[in-house]
Amino acid sequence: MSLPRSVRFSVLDRSRTREGHRPAEALRDTVALAREVEALGYHRFWVSEHHGVPGVAGSAPTVLAAAVAAATRTIRVGTGGVMLPNHRPLVVAEQFGVLEALFPGRIDMGLGRSVGFTDGVRRALGRDRGDAEDFAAQLDELLGWFAGTSPTGVHARPAEGLRVPPFVLAMGEGAEVAARAGLPMVIGDLRNREKMLRGVDHYRARFRPSGWADEPYVVVSGTVVVAATPEEARRLLVPEAWSMAYSRTHGTFPPLVPAEDVEARAMTAKERGFYEAGLGGHIAGTEERVADELETLVKETGAQEVLVTTSTYDRAALLDSFRRLARVVR
């Protein structure tokens, strides 16, 4: 394998709930996984923000990031991401300021522009789809609280004067926003490689150096699964593929179920189509196969970092996958 030694590998865990297990267990699993991947040498560990989703326990990413940072010692900890349109930028700055003050030099601020998963969630948050259109302005305001440049005369404590690296999650217009702001960009997913490559090219072409980054920094994100056999790797993908298929056909994203339960289900033609599509396009297989595919991915994108977002029901198999991946990329 000839991956550049400078390429970093990191983990995003979405605190996926599992059928028969309480949401609190999913949060504790996230903290435990952070300890494991720190020991394996991964660069960052990020958590996500979802509201009102039965299949995800991670609704308060800065709170969960604090728990992860307290349980670890060296790995960088952050969010992938805080959905900025859901919050006031001052409050987000204060939260990350507290994190950075408590865990100096280890906190990342990954930011996205999505607003609520459903109309009901958006109403509960007091937001609507149009709030995402103000993402660039919200981002500028947020960074201003750290710089102490707010025209309000208010000062964000303890954020002002601290340096928390910001990252933009590139969904839709995110690549343009990241480029104009001169910030690192996180882009996925691996299943739509052409669209991802267009986003990366657009970002690099439009990038403006800033006080945060002198040149473009690309993080590509997606599912990566490593197992002893191709068949075992595929089975790790099954629970998440079924959750995606169910959400597309029933309008709600459910907890993960065991692979054998999914394989025994009778699916409608529509469910089967979404399910099979959900199994494809990921990087999955033996260590040799995954090494080759990662080498191709990094060459195509020029990415400086890969953020692995794998979810599955079997936590032991998930950890084994991360162990095998660590061997691959060393």
Side-chain angles (χ1 to χ4, degrees), residues 66-308:
V68 169
T72 55
R73 296 179 58 200
T74 58
I75 196 169
R76 296 197 64 86
V77 176
T79 56
V82 165
M83 297 300 138
L84 192 52
N86 290 339
H87 311 281
R88 294 301 308 167
L90 170 61
V91 175
V92 175
E94 290 171 336
Q95 290 172 346
F96 278 98
V98 169
L99 284 170
E100 176 63 21
L102 290 172
F103 309 102
R106 291 180 57 206
I107 301 301
D108 300 321
M109 186 167 57
L111 305 162
R113 66 188 295 272
S114 297
V115 186
F117 185 64
T118 65
D119 289 339
V121 169
R122 286 188 286 273
R123 286 194 299 271
L125 290 170
R127 299 292 188 267
D128 58 43
R129 292 181 184 274
D131 287 302
E133 302 306 315
D134 296 327
F135 178 60
Q138 294 159 353
L139 180 61
D140 186 60
E141 180 184 344
L142 172 61
L143 299 181
W145 289 116
F146 287 93
T149 57
S150 171
T152 65
V154 175
H155 298 273
R157 312 289 188 196
E160 187 173 311
L162 297 180
R163 191 169 181 85
V164 183
F167 295 73
V168 173
L169 276 61
M171 303 293 184
E173 297 178 11
E176 176 68 23
V177 173
R180 287 202 310 264
L183 299 179
M185 177 186 72
V186 183
I187 189 166
D189 65 52
L190 303 179
R191 290 174 296 178
N192 193 336
R193 198 69 60 91
E194 289 186 8
K195 181 179 179 181
M196 185 177 68
L197 291 172
R198 288 196 301 271
V200 169
D201 289 344
H202 182 85
Y203 166 70
R204 288 204 174 100
R206 302 292 187 91
F207 183 86
R208 301 175 184 173
S210 72
W212 296 98
D214 294 330
E215 49 189 40
Y217 189 91
V218 174
V219 183
V220 293
S221 177
T223 296
V224 181
V225 169
V226 195
T229 67
E231 293 75 21
E232 289 178 34
R234 183 184 184 280
R235 294 194 83 235
L236 285 175
L237 299 172
V238 164
E240 185 75 6
W242 169 246
S243 284
M244 292 297 295
Y246 190 93
S247 71
R248 296 288 186 89
T249 52
H250 293 78
T252 185
F253 197 70
L256 297 170
V257 297
E260 55 269 24
D261 290 3
V262 175
E263 292 168 338
R265 287 176 186 263
M267 300 183 194
T268 66
K270 190 173 184 180
E271 288 172 339
R272 177 67 63 181
F274 283 126
Y275 170 66
E276 294 293 344
L279 290 171
H282 308 292
I283 293 179
T286 63
E287 292 177 28
E288 183 178 4
R289 170 73 180 272
V290 168
D292 289 342
E293 292 197 25
L294 285 173
E295 183 180 353
T296 298
L297 173 68
V298 170
K299 283 183 177 179
E300 287 179 349
T301 61
Q304 287 99 328
E305 188 168 341
V306 178
L307 180 67
V308 181

